[in-house]
């Protein structure tokens, strides 16, 4: 019984070491999202119903402001997100 217990403990330690340190990163997840942030201090979360007083020049020229709600997405969803941002004509990063 003691040998079975020690075998299970060693199997758990080996599995933990493999998942945390030896296995490669999951290809569907972004490995470094925090490193690629651009001006994160300028981001402001608005409560529902609050509309900014000034509109962007591109949105004013288009005649309508655009509002997008983002959730979690994987690297496979990144091209779709980039296409949505390109339609807004926000300019370079």
């Amino acid at each position: 019984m003691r040998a079975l217990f020690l075998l299970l403990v060693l199997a758990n330690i080996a599995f933990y070491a493999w998942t945390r340190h030896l296995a490669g990163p999951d290809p569907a997840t972004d490995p470094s999202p925090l490193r690629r942030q651009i001006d994160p201090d300028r981001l402001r979360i608005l409560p529902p119903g609050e509309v900014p007083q000034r509109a962007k020049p591109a949105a004013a020229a288009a005649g309508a402001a655009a509002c997008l709600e983002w959730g979690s997405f994987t690297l496979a969803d990144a091209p779709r997100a980039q296409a949505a941002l390109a339609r807004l004509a926000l300019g370079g990063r």
Side-chain angles (χ1 to χ4, degrees), residues 54-66 87-90:
R54 56 192 162 106
K56 296 271 185 192
R87 284 189 301 240
L88 296 176
L90 298 174

Side-chain angles (χ1 to χ4, degrees), residues 30-37:
D30 191 359
S32 58
L34 295 177
R35 182 176 50 87
R36 293 182 296 112
Q37 287 184 353

Side-chain angles (χ1 to χ4, degrees), residues 7 12 19 27 32 34 40 58 61:
L7 182 65
N12 280 316
T19 58
S32 58
L34 295 177

Side-chain angles (χ1 to χ4, degrees), residues 72-93:
S72 298
F73 56 91
T74 62
L75 287 175
D77 297 328
R80 186 172 53 93
Q82 288 175 345
L85 288 174
R87 284 189 301 240
L88 296 176
L90 298 174
R93 292 184 171 199

Side-chain angles (χ1 to χ4, degrees), residues 5-47:
F5 175 75
L6 290 176
L7 182 65
L8 287 175
V9 169
L10 287 175
N12 280 316
I13 291 172
F15 181 72
Y16 176 79
W18 179 72
T19 58
R20 298 293 182 192
H21 303 291
L22 300 176
D26 186 9
T29 59
D30 191 359
S32 58
L34 295 177
R35 182 176 50 87
R36 293 182 296 112
Q37 287 184 353
I38 300 169
D39 296 331
D41 53 331
R42 292 180 57 195
L43 181 67
R44 190 168 61 105
I45 306 297
L46 298 175

